[in-house]
Amino acid sequence: MRNVPRRAGHGTPADSGTRASGTADRAATHRRAADAARDGPALRRAAAEFIRLHHDEARRGDPAPRIAGVFAEIDGTGTYRHTHDELVFGARLAWRNAARCIGRLYWRSLHVLDRRELTAAGDIAAASAEHLRQAVRGGRRIRPLITVFAPDAPGRPGPRIWNEQLIRYAGYESPDGRIVGDPRNAGITAFARGLGWPGGPGTPFDVLPLVVQGTGDDRPRWFWLPPDAVLEVPIEHPDHAWWAGLGLRWHAVPALACMCLEIGGVCYPAAPFNGWYMGTEIGARNLADSDRYDLLPRVARGLGLDTASDRSLWKDRALVELNRAVLHSFDRAGITMTDHHTESRRFLAHVGREESKGRTVGADWSWIVPPLSGSTTPVFHRTYDTVERHPAYVHHPEALARTRGESGRALV
């Protein structure tokens, strides 16, 4: 399920450790703006809007008493605490509102783990590993899951997970500029090494440690991910025995970790969530993009294709076979994965279901249309309303900088 509101490798800035001061400046600017947006009247408006929405859709009756209680809490503390039901409702609606996500048909099935009591880095890391275990049921079936940690509060920022996803592969940069592993993660790999991580065996698929910053910590810490929390799939081809020699694999749970869950004006900066993969995320982006694993030339050589001219369509043919291999491998392993044709039809079913309830579905066409054979899918042949709604999963600029290993002194 493509429940991640981003495309792997899409619009990725160059990984560099030389822009830390600029990142800190941008983070400070964003922090001031975000704090201002959550202060006083703006927070009261956002909270009241969310409470009304919750009471309306959940048929909970008159929202006025709850709004009055929330306002009193804001007046006394500068923020307010969601009930468990509000947290679950908000997390699910944030998925329903994700304009870049094609897999929203399943938004009601999101399971929410409320871990707001956790603020220490070690506890966050342990609970994140447990998230990965609980996301996989029966050793194979993947379920949509979010773990919500402590929110930001006035003068007390919540914890942060620096990794883009809970599972990512290291990118080791050599002195000549070549990278072993995933170039997207070269910056965070170097940053983790600077924190003391010794590195892995040096393969193209070494699992990165978790880099976590707890509430009140000046610097993040790194933590190994236990092997039993990392489910991986060897990528082989149904027709070509030589494919196994490529040594490919990919992790099974796409748990996005760097986005803020914003509900009613409250920001939960550490809230890792996952669905299941759509095959093209791995086969058409992670393994194929020229600034990622760049496997199309190797696949084309193995297939004996003429790569002298683009007019031979060797890239297209290699891309299809790479995607066939990904789908075949996940199916053979019995691990949940969808394909772009099926998910496109399901997305339009979601659109129809929402419109029947009087709700317009916001969607970004450039992200909804799959990166492989887009015009053969029904989502290609229509336009969408691009409006963004709240609750929402939001990329804050300083969080994106952290995923690249760019460190300023500021926590947020």
Side-chain angles (χ1 to χ4, degrees):
M1 175 200 313
R2 191 132 177 248
N3 79 332
V4 272
R6 61 154 201 93
R7 279 186 180 169
H10 179 78
T12 307
D15 283 316
S16 171
T18 62
R19 298 184 290 173
S21 60
T23 296
D25 292 341
R26 292 194 300 273
T29 300
H30 182 82
R31 183 168 64 256
R32 288 191 294 271
D35 288 346
R38 290 193 293 268
D39 283 346
L43 176 57
R44 290 163 68 98
R45 285 194 298 271
E49 180 181 357
F50 170 69
I51 297 301
R52 292 190 188 100
L53 182 63
H54 180 218
H55 279 244
D56 178 46
E57 292 202 18
R59 296 181 174 86
R60 298 180 66 88
D62 182 9
R66 173 58 178 154
I67 292 174
V70 166
F71 283 2
E73 195 174 350
I74 292 172
D75 291 342
T77 67
T79 187
Y80 70 103
R81 180 179 174 85
H82 292 119
T83 67
H84 178 76
D85 286 348
E86 289 168 353
L87 184 70
V88 172
F89 177 78
R92 289 174 177 170
L93 254 63
W95 186 6
R96 191 178 82 187
N97 290 337
R100 293 177 170 182
C101 171
I102 197 173
R104 284 176 275 168
L105 179 63
Y106 318 98
W107 67 273
R108 291 183 182 276
S109 68
L110 180 65
H111 184 70
V112 180
L113 297 178
D114 185 351
R115 305 308 308 271
R116 286 178 288 175
E117 77 280 6
L118 300 182
T119 60
D123 293 336
I124 303 295
S128 295
E130 184 60 24
H131 174 111
L132 292 170
R133 296 186 188 99
Q134 292 202 29
V136 183
R137 292 184 290 185
R140 292 293 180 267
R141 185 183 176 192
I142 297 172
R143 63 172 174 169
L145 180 67
I146 183 170
T147 299
V148 183
F149 297 111
D152 284 343
R156 192 172 187 268
R160 264 71 175 163
I161 299 172
W162 282 50
N163 307 63
E164 183 180 39
Q165 295 188 21
L166 293 183
I167 305 173
R168 273 304 206 196
Y169 294 119
Y172 303 105
E173 186 170 3
S174 61
D176 63 3
R178 290 183 297 178
I179 293 176
V180 174
D182 193 342
R184 184 181 182 91
N185 302 321
I188 191 70
T189 300
F191 186 78
R193 298 293 296 272
L195 292 176
W197 179 53
T203 75
F205 299 99
D206 288 358
V207 175
L208 278 168
L210 288 179
V211 179
V212 182
Q213 194 161 12
T215 295
D217 293 343
D218 291 332
R219 296 282 288 174
R221 298 164 56 197
W222 68 271
F223 301 87
W224 294 107
L225 268 176
D228 71 324
V230 181
L231 178 63
E232 297 181 284
V233 180
I235 307 299
E236 299 183 1
H237 195 279
D239 301 327
H240 302 295
W242 56 266
W243 198 284
L246 296 175
L248 307 180
R249 64 177 183 268
W250 205 260
H251 58 91
V253 181
L256 202 65
C258 66
M259 298 187 77
C260 174
L261 169 61
E262 292 186 356
I263 303 174
V266 175
C267 176
Y268 298 91
F273 64 96
N274 71 271
W276 51 80
Y277 270 117
M278 188 165 76
T280 52
E281 291 184 276
I282 301 170
R285 302 306 309 273
N286 298 341
L287 295 177
D289 280 356
S290 60
D291 61 348
R292 300 292 299 283
Y293 281 84
D294 194 24
L295 284 173
L296 295 188
R298 292 180 64 188
V299 170
R301 287 194 295 270
L303 295 171
L305 302 179
D306 175 12
T307 61
S309 170
D310 286 346
R311 292 180 68 86
S312 70
L313 301 185
W314 65 269
K315 294 179 183 178
D316 309 72
R317 297 167 66 186
L319 189 63
V320 168
E321 295 307 318
L322 183 53
N323 279 269
R324 284 188 67 206
V326 169
L327 289 170
H328 162 77
S329 299
F330 272 69
D331 286 348
R332 186 181 60 178
I335 294 173
T336 310
M337 170 175 277
T338 190
D339 66 87
H340 52 294
H341 296 288
T342 299
E343 211 57 48
S344 295
R345 292 191 297 271
R346 289 175 177 170
F347 178 71
L348 293 187
H350 166 70
V351 171
R353 181 180 298 177
E354 290 298 300
E355 290 177 345
S356 72
K357 298 179 182 295
R359 298 192 290 254
T360 301
V361 176
D364 185 333
W365 187 95
S366 67
W367 290 68
I368 295 298
V369 174
L372 174 68
S373 305
S375 65
T376 68
T377 65
V379 294
F380 177 91
H381 301 279
R382 57 164 292 167
T383 58
Y384 304 94
D385 180 0
T386 57
V387 65
E388 294 186 1
R389 296 179 174 85
H390 282 77
Y393 297 107
V394 179
H395 269 309
H396 292 310
E398 70 274 13
L400 291 171
R402 285 194 296 271
T403 68
R404 300 190 294 268
E406 297 174 357
S407 62
R409 294 187 60 83
L411 174 67
V412 295

